[in-house]
């Protein structure tokens, strides 16, 4: 008689999704609002932000593998992921607040500009390290609480949907700060208060899964050492293809870096009402496309292979992404016209599809790579492979940050220039109509369009001949479940 496969309960599923929402509220705050806060509120030079954020992300990305090994070497009564899911959120709470506290004032007014940059760099580095301790176990536990491939795919798809909700909540930090700044005396005060509120909410939700989940898949064998793990990751061909694809696709992350400055300065001239209106009219296309795509993945996987879906969903976004900049070049000062608003929103809709499907599939395919590694070697290094996922995300962010920082620096849209634009807006001016500020407006459209289009295109080069097709993974998983059943029967016999 076949053994019944173990899987998560409804309670575990629901609390996991709540925790994923909380974690991504924290991520959304830093991803969507922090760079804007440092560059456009604290007025730190764009190149400095690009350098220290990129260095912090690369350093933290290298630490991911260490955290993966630590998780795989953890063997407690409650499992190898849960201890970190309980311990990490309070530290992320504290470091999130520190990232939005500017005790030395703005860069242009501080007595020590070096301290302003050092404080920002230290706060962001500490946050990244704390976030890693919780992030890897949160994704890694998806491969530990179910033996059913279909259930895992559904959970990862749902996780990406709620993560989008969490990130979306993080995205309203910047508009809220602009709206509350007159009441609280400054943008810095507004950002700090909102960061405290959102950090408390996000960390509280994040911690729930650590108290409620039950890990179903037990450790297999002695974990490898760090150096051996690097060799194992690179020798795992399907994972290697995903890793290279992710790095090549780094320019896609520029959309999230430049989209808020684009709406704030070009479309709205820092008018909070217009920021909200244009986010709803245009930016919503990006999120709607992303959510539709994410929710469709489980059904699409019933008809298409993961390789086909991953590659073609990336290619779908190439032309719409590039078209955004083309529209700007046609009418540099008229992108607020209804025709251009509609066309831009439609472009963002398809770009959202190109973001959503690969986002889900990357997690699913990495989980498949864990199965592949267990099948090949007898070891199941969940932590190491999901550290690989965060490694990819952080390398993407590092490269995107460097590109944006130097792009802003090249056109001069930084520190003193931003202060000048802000003063122009306060006097009633609209930056998109002022010839002096045209290079600044151009670079914002360029960053959300041309580099992402290139990223979508070249990201499919490594995965065009993806090594682990759906049929082969199904065969491997059936064999693994048979092995687990046999091990369980042996343990029962020995204990009897």
């Amino acid at each position: 008689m076949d053994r019944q496969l173990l899987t998560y309960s409804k309670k575990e599923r629901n609390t996991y999704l709540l925790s994923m929402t909380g974690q991504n509220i924290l991520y959304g705050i830093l991803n969507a609002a922090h760079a804007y806060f440092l560059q456009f509120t604290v007025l730190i030079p764009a190149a400095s932000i690009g350098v220290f954020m990129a260095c912090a992300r690369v350093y933290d990305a290298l630490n991911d593998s260490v955290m993966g090994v630590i998780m795989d070497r953890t063997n407690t009564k409650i499992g190898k992921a849960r201890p970190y899911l309980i311990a990490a959120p309070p530290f992320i709470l504290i470091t999130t607040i520190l990232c939005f506290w500017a005790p030395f004032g703005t860069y242009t007014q501080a007595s020590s500009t070096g301290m302003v940059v050092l404080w920002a760099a230290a706060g962001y580095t500490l946050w990244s390290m704390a976030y890693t301790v919780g992030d890897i176990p949160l994704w890694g536990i998806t491969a530990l609480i179910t033996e059913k491939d279909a259930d895992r795919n559904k959970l990862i798809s749902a996780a990406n949907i709620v993560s989008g909700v969490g990130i979306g909540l993080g995205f309203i930090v910047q508009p809220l700060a602009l709206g509350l700044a007159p009441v609280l005396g400054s943008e810095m005060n507004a950002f700090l208060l909102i960061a405290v509120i959102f950090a408390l909410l996000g960390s509280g939700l994040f911690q729930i899964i650590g108290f409620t989940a039950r890990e179903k898949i037990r450790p297999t064998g002695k974990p490898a050492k760090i150096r051996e793990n690097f060799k194992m990751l690179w020798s795992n061909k399907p994972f290697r293809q995903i890793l290279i694809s992710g790095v090549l696709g780094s320019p896609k992350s520029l959309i999230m870096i430049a989209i808020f400055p684009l709406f704030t300065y070009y479309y709205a001239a820092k008018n909070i009402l217009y920021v909200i209106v244009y986010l709803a009219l245009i930016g919503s296309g990006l999120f709607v496309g992303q959510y539709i795509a994410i929710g469709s993945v489980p059904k699409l996987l019933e008809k298409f292979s993961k390789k086909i879906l991953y590659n073609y969903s990336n290619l779908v976004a190439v032309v719409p992404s590039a078209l955004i900049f083309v529209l700007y070049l046609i009418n540099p000062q008229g992108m607020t016209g209804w025709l251009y608003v509609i066309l831009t929103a439609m472009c963002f809709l398809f770009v959202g599809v190109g973001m959503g499907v690969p986002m889900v599939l990357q997690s699913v395919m990495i989980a498949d790579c864990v199965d592949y590694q267990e099948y090949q070697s007898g070891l199941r290094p969940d932590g190491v492979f999901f550290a690989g996922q965060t490694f990819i995300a952080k390398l993407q962010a590092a490269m995107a940050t460097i590109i944006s920082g130097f792009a802003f620096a090249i056109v001069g849209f930084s520190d003193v220039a931003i202060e000048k634009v802000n003063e122009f807006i306060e006097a009633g001016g609209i930056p998109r109509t002022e010839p002096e500020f045209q290079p600044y407006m151009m670079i914002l459209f360029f960053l959300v369009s041309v580099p992402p289009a290139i990223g979508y295109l070249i990201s499919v080069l490594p995965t065009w001949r993806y090594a682990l097709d759906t049929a082969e993974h199904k065969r491997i998983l059936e064999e693994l479940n048979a092995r687990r059943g046999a091990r369980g029967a042996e343990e029962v016999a020995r204990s009897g």
Side-chain angles (χ1 to χ4, degrees):
M1 182 177 179
D2 292 337
R3 180 178 69 93
Q4 185 175 0
L5 300 181
L6 301 174
T7 193
Y8 48 80
S9 65
K10 288 184 179 180
K11 179 182 178 182
E12 288 175 309
R13 178 199 64 196
N14 294 338
T15 53
Y16 178 80
L17 297 178
L18 279 175
S19 290
M20 181 61 72
T21 303
Q23 186 228 28
N24 281 278
I25 290 173
L26 297 165
Y27 180 77
I29 296 171
L30 269 289
N31 190 48
H34 189 229
Y36 179 95
F37 170 73
L38 295 179
Q39 183 174 347
F40 297 97
T41 301
V42 186
L43 302 177
I44 296 175
S48 297
I49 296 171
V51 169
F52 80 66
M53 277 195 166
C55 290
R57 283 167 171 163
V58 170
Y59 169 72
D60 193 39
L62 295 175
N63 282 338
D64 287 347
S65 60
V66 177
M67 183 59 212
V69 172
I70 291 171
M71 175 181 150
D72 284 330
R73 288 180 174 272
T74 300
N75 186 12
T76 71
K77 292 181 179 180
I78 63 172
K80 64 180 184 179
R82 290 178 61 199
Y84 305 104
L85 295 173
I86 294 171
F91 292 97
I92 304 173
L93 164 67
I94 295 168
T95 53
T96 299
I97 294 170
L98 289 177
C99 283
F100 287 92
W101 182 31
F104 302 99
T106 67
Y107 182 87
T108 56
Q109 297 173 349
S111 57
S112 173
T113 56
M115 287 303 299
V116 175
V117 176
L118 182 62
W119 177 270
Y124 184 74
T125 302
L126 290 172
W127 179 88
S128 297
M129 295 172 68
Y131 189 82
T132 293
V133 175
D135 186 41
I136 292 169
L138 186 63
W139 284 104
I141 204 170
T142 60
L144 295 170
I145 60 175
T146 181
E147 296 179 316
K148 295 183 178 181
D149 188 45
D151 284 357
R152 184 172 65 194
N153 293 345
K154 289 177 182 177
L155 185 63
I156 290 175
S157 180
N160 278 278
I161 291 174
V162 300
S163 70
V165 173
I167 290 173
L169 289 173
F171 270 23
I172 69 173
V173 168
Q174 186 256 6
L176 281 175
L178 290 182
L180 290 175
V183 178
L184 297 174
S186 70
E187 284 187 20
M188 286 196 291
N189 291 340
F191 270 110
L192 179 59
L193 175 62
I194 296 165
V196 170
I197 295 170
F198 277 63
L200 285 167
L201 173 63
S203 60
L205 291 174
F206 188 179
Q207 199 175 40
I208 294 173
I209 188 63
F211 294 107
T212 58
R214 295 294 180 270
E215 298 179 18
K216 313 294 190 301
I217 298 177
R218 303 179 66 179
T220 56
K222 184 179 180 181
K225 297 178 180 179
I226 294 177
R227 186 175 180 180
E228 294 170 347
N229 279 315
F230 278 113
K231 292 180 180 179
M232 178 172 57
L233 289 173
W234 189 252
S235 64
N236 188 303
K237 185 175 180 180
F239 178 81
R240 185 170 70 243
Q241 291 172 308
I242 297 169
L243 172 65
I244 297 172
S245 173
V247 173
L248 291 177
S250 297
K252 294 187 287 185
S253 299
L254 282 162
I255 296 173
M256 293 305 181
I257 293 176
I259 195 167
F260 269 122
L262 173 65
F263 285 121
T264 301
Y265 283 90
Y266 180 90
Y267 285 98
K270 298 193 76 173
N271 182 305
I272 181 59
L273 178 61
Y274 288 157
V275 170
I276 294 171
V277 168
Y278 283 107
L279 274 173
L281 292 174
I282 300 174
S284 61
L286 182 69
F287 295 106
V288 169
Q290 187 176 346
Y291 294 152
I292 291 173
I294 290 171
S296 301
V297 169
K299 288 293 183 184
L300 291 172
L301 285 174
E302 295 175 5
K303 297 182 179 181
F304 304 100
S305 70
K306 294 164 189 172
K307 178 179 76 173
I308 293 294
L309 280 180
Y310 183 86
N311 289 329
Y312 282 94
S313 60
N314 273 294
L315 293 177
V316 159
V318 174
V319 172
S321 184
L323 187 57
I324 294 170
F325 191 61
V326 173
L327 291 171
Y328 170 79
L329 293 177
I330 293 171
N331 195 354
Q333 296 184 13
M335 291 293 285
T336 56
W338 278 108
L339 175 61
Y340 287 91
V341 167
I342 293 169
L343 290 175
T344 306
M346 291 177 63
C347 289
F348 274 123
L349 180 71
F350 283 99
V351 171
V353 171
M355 291 176 63
V357 174
M359 184 189 304
V360 178
L361 289 178
Q362 184 186 79
S363 301
V364 171
M365 291 159 78
I366 288 175
D368 292 351
C369 292
V370 178
D371 293 333
Y372 179 83
Q373 189 63 41
E374 183 182 356
Y375 177 80
Q376 294 288 338
S377 66
L379 295 175
R380 186 172 182 85
D382 306 270
V384 169
F385 275 83
F386 278 96
Q389 175 173 287
T390 61
F391 178 84
I392 293 169
K394 287 168 184 174
L395 277 185
Q396 288 177 332
M399 294 180 70
T401 303
I402 281 286
I403 294 170
S404 67
F406 282 96
F408 283 126
I410 287 169
V411 299
F413 195 26
S414 182
D415 52 283
V416 175
I418 292 173
E419 196 169 40
K420 185 176 181 180
V421 176
N422 289 342
E423 291 172 353
F424 177 78
I425 292 170
E426 288 174 5
I430 301 175
R432 67 173 179 270
T433 65
E434 177 64 33
E436 180 184 357
F437 301 142
Q438 284 305 304
Y440 307 160
M441 304 301 105
M442 178 276 297
I443 204 65
L444 291 172
F445 276 98
F446 177 83
L447 287 173
V448 300
S449 173
V450 177
I454 295 170
Y456 282 114
L457 181 62
I458 64 177
S459 65
V460 305
L461 296 177
T463 55
W464 198 253
R465 296 183 180 275
Y466 185 59
L468 186 58
D469 61 40
T470 301
E472 175 64 6
H473 176 253
K474 182 179 179 181
R475 184 192 69 79
I476 287 173
L477 194 58
E478 289 174 351
E479 173 64 24
L480 288 177
N481 286 328
R483 292 181 189 176
R484 292 166 188 159
R487 284 201 304 269
E490 291 175 4
E491 289 176 3
V492 170
R494 285 198 300 269
S495 64

